[in-house]
């Protein structure tokens, strides 16, 4: 399906490297050469005296003066990063560094003859785990860097990879994939896992059933390998931490670990050489692929636990419902039957150990390590897709629920639910909690202590949506309204969004309204003018059971 334009550009601002791709019409996406001799641009920066350098220029600085993985500052809500200075470590504004990197990406794309302008669809990727505040921060920084972004620009990275895969299977092979696709996106800073329901073809429809993420990926493996190297030097009788300032040694070890990790995707062993200045004579180590897998094993164990949590969470979207006990009782072998396809995305997925572990866990699924491009290019290829995004449904609302009321002749407003706020955390699913959703009740419910107000829905561009309410007896009996009237003034007030699209509202009078959205649609301003809500009164639930307690693989029962 064509988008607003037949020309799209995707920007993948990555933790370690950044990519830009463009696509015209139905032609395959092509990468824009950004680096010096490479398609990618290093997402690093550093200070040379007072000058902020980015990319390859920063990579020439001493290791302890280089700022790496600055994107994680957004993930962690950090305002500053630490870099070595003449008088010791200094705190540097993370936003300034991110703006500099994004601006350089724009300059290099223009120098390559592919300017990032308003003449096409521009999409920028972000981790699926990011909430509305993190997304707004990236958009603000991209605007300051000169990129023409708006509220419709951001796309979840694993979703973009899934779009690239669906488009590639249709365009290259004429396939129309149908079923559930598990996207395993492990980059430098985050691990994102998404379960997508796919109806492929020329006009594919993609529904996101679940998405979980953690702030642990390639950087965490670098740290584990660096710790291994420290122990290997110690066995040789060398304490590397005595050879130079701690910040310098740490940076050098992490750089050596990252290089070894990348090389061992192609070779069986890698020599580790540390700089003689100021480290002095240090033995040359030989680091093997088996050692890398040993360092990686605990992290992959946690990643597989996240995968099972994501597949379980996908079942929360199913109508008819499963009790929390039944969901806890579902074994990995049964969960594996839910997945038809697996796509490995992100630079870390190039490590063969990843495919072996995931392939073993899902013996019936088809595993793909490319979407017409390499695993670490799948996200940017999907961001540059000229279609597919009009028929995209999310697992959580990408719009605000707001409460409005009149007070002393003035209109007041508070946000009840902010767009993209997660309905649950990864830990809640890992712990076996399945009555999940976003809730505000009692004193947490915004608004005055008495009076009447209205609940409305607002797109991220600031425009309000009309609500179409269907009472469940058929599409002919439909009411269209601007909002839902509420009576304020009681601890009985409640609002909850459930994972299966149910919306529960109760006001101060005890009046209850229960509705459902089939899938949370992508709403981009006036392109989608209406949100359709259907009555769910009378829907049955599944009776709870307790036999899962005897299973040693069942998540713990949370009460």
């Amino acid at each position: 399906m064509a988008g607003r334009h037949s020309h799209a550009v995707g920007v993948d601002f990555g933790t370690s490297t950044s990519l830009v791709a463009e696509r015209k019409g139905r032609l395959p996406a092509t990468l824009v050469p950004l680096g010096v001799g490479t398609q990618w641009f290093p997402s690093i920066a550093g200070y040379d005296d007072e000058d902020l350098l980015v990319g390859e220029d920063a990579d020439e600085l001493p290791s302890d003066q280089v700022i790496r993985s600055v994107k994680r500052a957004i993930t962690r809500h950090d305002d500053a990063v630490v870099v070595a200075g003449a008088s010791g470590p200094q705190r540097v504004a993370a936003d300034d560094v991110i703006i500099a990197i994004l601006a350089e990406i724009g300059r290099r794309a223009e120098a390559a003859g592919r300017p990032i302008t308003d003449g096409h669809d521009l999409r920028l990727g972000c981790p699926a785990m990011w909430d509305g505040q993190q997304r707004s921060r990236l958009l603000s920084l991209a605007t300051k860097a000169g990129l023409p972004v708006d509220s419709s620009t951001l796309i979840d990275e694993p979703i973009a990879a899934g779009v690239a895969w669906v488009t590639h299977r249709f365009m290259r092979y004429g396939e129309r994939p149908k079923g559930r696709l598990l996207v395993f996106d492990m980059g430098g800073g985050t691990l994102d896992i998404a379960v997508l329901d796919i109806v492929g073809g020329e006009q594919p429809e993609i529904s996101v059933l679940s998405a979980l993420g953690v702030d642990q990926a390639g950087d965490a493996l670098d740290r584990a390998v660096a710790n291994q190297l420290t122990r290997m030097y110690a066995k040789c009788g060398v304490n590397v931490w005595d050879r130079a300032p701690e910040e310098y040694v740490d940076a050098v070890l992490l750089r050596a670990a990252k290089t070894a990790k990348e090389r061992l995707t192609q070779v069986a062993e890698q020599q580790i050489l540390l700089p003689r200045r100021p480290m002095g004579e240090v033995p040359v180590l030989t680091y093997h692929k088996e050692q890398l897998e040993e360092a990686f094993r605990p992290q992959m164990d946690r990643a597989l636990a996240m995968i099972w949590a994501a597949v379980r969470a996908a079942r929360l979207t199913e109508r008819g419902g499963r009790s929390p006990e039944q969901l806890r009782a579902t074994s990995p072998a049964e969960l594996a039957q839910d997945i038809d396809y697996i796509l490995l995305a992100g630079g870390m997925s190039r490590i063969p150990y990843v495919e072996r572990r995931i392939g073993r866990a899902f013996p019936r699924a088809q595993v793909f390590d490319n979407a017409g491009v390499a695993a670490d290019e799948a996200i940017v290829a999907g961001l540059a897709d000229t279609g597919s995004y009009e028929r995209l449904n999310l697992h959580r609302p990408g719009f605000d629920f707001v409460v409005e009321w009149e007070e002393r002749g003035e209109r007041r407003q508070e946000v009840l639910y902010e767009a993209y706020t997660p309905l649950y955390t990864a830990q809640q699913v890992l712990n076996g909690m399945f009555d999940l959703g976003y809730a505000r009740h009692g004193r947490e419910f915004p608004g005055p202590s008495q009076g009447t107000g209205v609940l409305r829905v607002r797109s991220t561009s600031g425009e309000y949506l009309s609500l179409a309410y269907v009472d469940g007896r058929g599409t002919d009996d439909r009411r269209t309204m601007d909002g839902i009237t509420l009576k304020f003034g009681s601890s009985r007030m409640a609002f909850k969004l459930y994972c299966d699209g149910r919306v529960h509202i109760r006001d101060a009078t005890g009046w209850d309204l229960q509705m459902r959205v089939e899938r949370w649609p992508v709403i981009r301003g006036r392109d989608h003018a209406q949100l359709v809500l259907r009555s769910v009164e009378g829907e049955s639930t599944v009776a709870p059971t307790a036999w899962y307690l005897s299973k040693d693989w069942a998540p713990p029962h949370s009460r």
Side-chain angles (χ1 to χ4, degrees):
M1 174 180 284
R4 290 175 294 168
H5 305 282
S6 60
H7 180 198
V9 171
V11 178
D12 178 14
F13 167 47
T15 302
S16 303
T17 59
S18 295
L19 293 163
V20 172
E22 70 170 351
R23 186 178 180 203
K24 296 182 178 179
R26 298 167 66 88
L27 296 174
T30 59
L31 294 180
V32 177
L34 295 182
V36 178
T38 64
Q39 302 278 30
W40 47 268
F41 170 74
S43 304
I44 60 178
Y47 277 90
D48 182 13
D49 294 327
E50 299 298 323
D51 297 325
L52 177 61
L53 306 179
V54 296
E56 295 85 356
D57 290 341
D59 210 18
E60 297 297 323
L61 295 171
S63 295
D64 58 338
Q65 293 179 222
V66 179
I67 302 169
R68 301 183 185 276
S69 305
V70 69
K71 181 180 176 182
R72 299 186 74 174
I74 300 179
T75 302
R76 296 178 171 181
H77 297 281
D78 291 338
D79 294 328
V81 293
V82 178
V83 63
S87 58
Q90 298 179 0
R91 289 174 60 83
V92 176
D95 287 0
D96 292 344
V97 178
I98 295 172
I99 290 171
I101 291 174
L102 292 173
E104 183 65 15
I105 291 171
R107 283 192 290 270
R108 293 199 182 193
E110 185 170 5
R114 319 282 182 82
I116 300 175
T117 65
D118 279 322
H120 47 64
D121 280 340
L122 173 67
R123 300 191 186 95
L124 181 62
C126 72
M129 64 182 291
W130 278 10
D131 58 24
Q133 182 181 351
Q134 292 163 317
R135 293 163 190 257
S136 296
R137 181 177 174 184
L138 179 59
L139 284 175
S140 174
L141 299 178
T143 299
K144 293 176 181 177
L147 303 187
V149 297
D150 58 32
S151 59
S152 66
T153 297
L154 281 186
I155 300 294
D156 291 6
E157 290 163 351
I159 295 173
V163 166
W165 179 81
V166 172
T167 299
H168 172 65
R169 301 311 298 179
F170 177 76
M171 298 297 294
R172 178 68 175 82
Y173 301 103
E175 297 177 356
R176 299 175 181 270
K178 183 177 181 179
R180 292 195 174 179
L181 170 68
L182 173 73
V183 180
F184 181 89
D185 173 21
M186 182 178 274
T190 59
L191 165 64
D192 277 323
I193 298 168
V195 178
L196 312 180
D197 187 64
I198 303 290
V199 178
E202 187 174 5
Q203 298 182 359
E205 182 164 352
I206 300 174
S207 295
V208 185
L209 304 182
S210 68
L212 296 174
V214 290
D215 179 23
Q216 187 179 82
D219 289 349
L221 180 56
D222 294 346
R223 176 62 63 186
V225 173
N227 292 340
Q228 278 184 325
L229 297 180
T230 298
R231 294 191 293 270
M232 292 172 69
Y233 282 118
K235 288 182 179 180
C236 298
V238 175
N239 183 353
V240 291
W241 299 97
D242 290 341
R243 299 298 186 93
E246 182 176 328
E247 294 81 7
Y248 181 83
V249 175
D250 189 56
V252 166
L253 287 176
L254 287 174
R255 189 167 187 172
K258 180 179 175 63
T259 301
K261 175 189 71 178
E262 294 171 350
R263 289 283 296 143
L264 289 176
T265 63
Q266 301 173 344
V267 299
E269 60 183 41
Q270 169 72 10
Q271 287 191 325
I272 307 296
L273 296 89
L274 300 187
R276 290 188 177 184
R277 294 183 180 179
M279 300 289 291
E281 290 291 338
V282 178
V284 176
L285 301 179
T286 301
Y287 187 74
H288 298 273
K289 181 167 63 177
E290 292 77 14
Q291 291 172 289
L292 175 66
E293 294 182 358
E294 179 185 349
F296 200 8
R297 185 173 294 109
Q299 191 175 343
M300 275 303 301
D301 290 343
R302 292 189 293 272
L304 281 168
M306 286 284 294
I307 288 174
W308 298 128
V311 179
R312 276 194 174 91
R315 291 194 171 195
L316 295 174
T317 67
E318 297 174 354
R319 299 188 68 170
R322 292 172 183 254
S323 71
E325 287 79 7
Q326 286 179 313
L327 283 169
R328 293 188 192 96
T330 307
S331 69
E334 183 181 347
L335 290 171
Q337 302 301 309
D338 291 356
I339 302 301
D340 302 291
Y341 315 99
I342 296 172
L343 174 63
L344 305 179
M348 290 286 289
S349 293
R350 297 171 62 184
I351 299 176
Y353 183 61
V354 173
E355 184 170 357
R356 291 208 311 273
R357 290 290 303 270
I358 294 179
R360 197 179 303 143
F362 293 87
R364 68 172 288 273
Q366 299 181 55
V367 182
F368 299 84
D369 61 1
N370 73 81
V373 293
D376 52 352
E377 299 170 358
I379 292 170
V380 76
L383 292 171
D385 199 282
T386 52
S388 302
Y389 289 102
E390 285 80 0
R391 293 166 63 87
L392 177 65
N393 302 294
L394 302 177
H395 67 297
R396 57 184 174 184
F399 41 83
D400 300 328
F401 285 83
V402 298
V403 174
E404 294 183 350
W405 69 94
E406 292 284 335
E407 188 173 307
R408 297 176 182 176
E410 296 183 0
R411 190 181 72 169
R412 299 286 303 276
Q413 181 184 92
E414 287 191 35
V415 175
L416 184 60
Y417 169 87
E418 183 180 7
Y420 297 105
T421 300
L423 303 185
Y424 52 83
T425 67
Q427 196 59 46
Q428 286 176 317
V429 184
L430 287 168
N431 288 343
M433 298 173 63
F434 291 105
D435 185 24
L436 300 177
Y438 175 89
R440 300 280 296 273
H441 56 270
R443 294 182 179 180
E444 296 177 342
F445 201 101
S449 59
Q450 60 183 355
T452 302
V454 62
L455 175 67
R456 304 184 68 186
V457 176
R458 181 179 64 193
S459 73
T460 53
S461 59
E463 295 153 331
Y464 288 92
L465 285 72
S466 65
L467 305 178
Y469 178 66
V470 183
D471 71 356
R473 292 177 295 180
T475 56
D476 293 336
D477 193 355
R478 173 184 300 213
R479 288 187 291 137
T480 300
M481 47 195 175
D482 291 331
I484 298 170
T485 302
L486 302 173
K487 293 286 188 180
F488 293 110
S490 169
S491 60
R492 301 174 65 186
M493 299 189 72
F495 171 82
K496 187 166 184 177
L497 302 177
Y498 291 88
C499 302
D500 61 357
R502 282 179 296 144
V503 183
H504 176 216
I505 303 168
R506 184 174 65 236
D507 74 358
T509 67
W511 171 75
D512 267 286
L513 182 63
Q514 297 196 48
M515 305 169 289
R516 184 192 298 276
V517 178
E518 294 298 333
R519 289 280 190 265
W520 298 110
V522 172
I523 293 178
R524 309 191 190 284
R526 296 184 179 86
D527 293 342
H528 296 73
Q530 197 171 78
L531 181 65
V532 179
L533 303 166
R534 299 179 182 274
S535 171
V536 295
E537 294 180 7
E539 283 195 4
S540 61
T541 58
V542 179
T545 61
W547 59 271
Y548 73 92
L549 292 172
S550 64
K551 305 296 183 181
D552 57 6
W553 40 257
H557 186 200
S558 300
R559 297 185 183 277

